Amino acid sequence: MKYLSVLLVTIIFASSYSGAQSINENNSIEISLGLDGTISNDGITETTEIIYTEAFDHSIFNKLLQKFVSDNGNVNYKGLKGEHKTLLSYIDLLKTNQPNEDWSNNDKLAYWINAYNALTIDLILKNYPTKSIKDIKDPWDQRLWKFGTTWQNLNDIEHKILRGMHEPRIHFAIVCASISCPKLQNTAFTASELDTQLTNATKEFLADTTKNEISTEEIKLSKIFKWFKKDFETNGSLIDFLNQYSDVKISNSAKKSFKDYNWNLNK
């Protein structure tokens, strides 16, 4: 089945219309814009409606995130444990509706980012209570989820799929259930809002002084920038990347070091 990322519809109606935006129940964003903002002599105004249609419905995951994840990214795993079946129903949808060649790049990215986070939560719940993801044996290598004919693990999704899509901001969207990780967003990622969501997640992470300390002449960074250094240098230096999203302009000669990583559970 082919999915339309953008659908343009021209409609005619008898009223004055200056513009409106709404999100419908199917996670589509509908924007109506008046072409001239005035009513013609015959009382007819023409508008153009732009509808962005998602290839996959992430609303089940979105509701769980809103219910059990705080604004600062703390996760109520005990509460989620009580709704583990709901999470598994979302994972089942992921398994049986994988991206295909008709999906946009943003649809694919949103799908795999949400999949990574949902599977990480599932891994924690399967071993809950636990103090750290690193207390679980081979947490990123366990092949627990069968997608089509492939048994997936977290490492393959991150390194073979997501990193292969050449979007460095994914490192601030996927979460390893630990305090030093970027915070788990309490809304699901969607294709139509992806660029804004990734930019906001990156800016939030850099501005969090518990994870990064940034000044013009000295930066103390999360080890994420050490582990995935090459991902952030595809279009310039690491400083060039940071300066796109940091509130502080960093000097190219700034002293650089990396902070210790706290693997305790992000609860």
Side-chain angles (χ1 to χ4, degrees), residues 183-195:
K183 78 174 191 180
L184 179 62
Q185 302 291 326
N186 58 8
T187 55
F189 288 86
T190 59
S192 57
E193 295 293 325
L194 187 63
D195 186 64

Side-chain angles (χ1 to χ4, degrees), residues 6-210:
V6 179
L7 174 64
L8 297 179
V9 182
T10 299
I11 59 175
I12 306 294
F13 60 95
S15 67
S16 174
Y17 201 85
S18 59
Q21 175 175 315
S22 63
I23 301 177
N24 64 28
E25 294 181 353
N26 297 318
N27 289 337
S28 297
I29 296 179
E30 301 179 1
I31 308 171
S32 297
L33 301 171
L35 295 182
D36 56 16
T38 62
I39 301 177
S40 62
N41 291 334
D42 57 3
I44 301 298
T45 299
E46 186 178 87
T47 70
T48 299
E49 185 176 81
I50 306 172
I51 303 175
Y52 297 88
T53 304
E54 305 285 340
F56 189 94
D57 183 357
H58 297 284
S59 60
I60 294 175
F61 191 43
N62 187 67
K63 289 176 182 177
L64 288 173
L65 293 173
Q66 290 185 329
K67 186 174 182 179
F68 296 108
V69 181
S70 69
D71 288 340
N72 63 1
N74 290 336
V75 183
N76 178 2
Y77 288 105
K78 184 176 180 180
L80 270 168
K81 186 73 173 177
E83 293 197 32
H84 198 178
K85 288 183 179 179
T86 304
L87 178 66
L88 291 175
S89 71
Y90 171 70
I91 293 173
D92 284 341
L93 288 174
L94 292 169
K95 290 177 182 178
T96 55
N97 296 275
Q98 295 182 74
N100 59 54
E101 62 183 12
D102 295 324
W103 286 31
S104 71
N105 193 63
N106 277 8
D107 277 306
K108 293 174 184 177
L109 272 169
Y111 172 97
W112 286 114
I113 289 170
N114 289 328
Y116 186 95
N117 289 340
L119 299 185
T120 298
I121 294 171
D122 183 38
L123 177 68
I124 297 298
L125 296 182
K126 282 177 164 62
N127 294 274
Y128 192 79
T130 184
K131 293 182 178 180
S132 169
I133 192 172
K134 296 195 81 173
D135 290 339
I136 302 169
K137 182 180 179 181
D138 301 322
W140 296 285
D141 291 317
Q142 290 192 46
R143 297 191 181 277
L144 301 174
W145 309 277
K146 190 176 183 180
F147 282 60
T149 60
T150 302
W151 284 92
Q152 292 285 3
N153 63 25
L154 295 172
N155 263 338
D156 281 356
I157 292 174
E158 180 178 8
H159 300 295
K160 293 183 179 180
I161 299 175
L162 281 168
R163 292 182 68 197
M165 298 178 77
H166 308 295
E167 173 48 82
R169 293 175 298 175
I170 59 105
H171 293 294
F172 315 110
I174 58 175
V175 180
C176 60
S178 304
I179 289 174
S180 285
C181 288
K183 78 174 191 180
L184 179 62
Q185 302 291 326
N186 58 8
T187 55
F189 288 86
T190 59
S192 57
E193 295 293 325
L194 187 63
D195 186 64
T196 298
Q197 289 176 311
L198 290 176
T199 293
N200 289 342
T202 304
K203 288 182 175 181
E204 284 181 341
F205 184 70
L206 287 178
D208 186 342
T209 56
T210 68

Side-chain angles (χ1 to χ4, degrees), residues 63 264 266:
K63 289 176 182 177
N264 288 333
N266 58 339

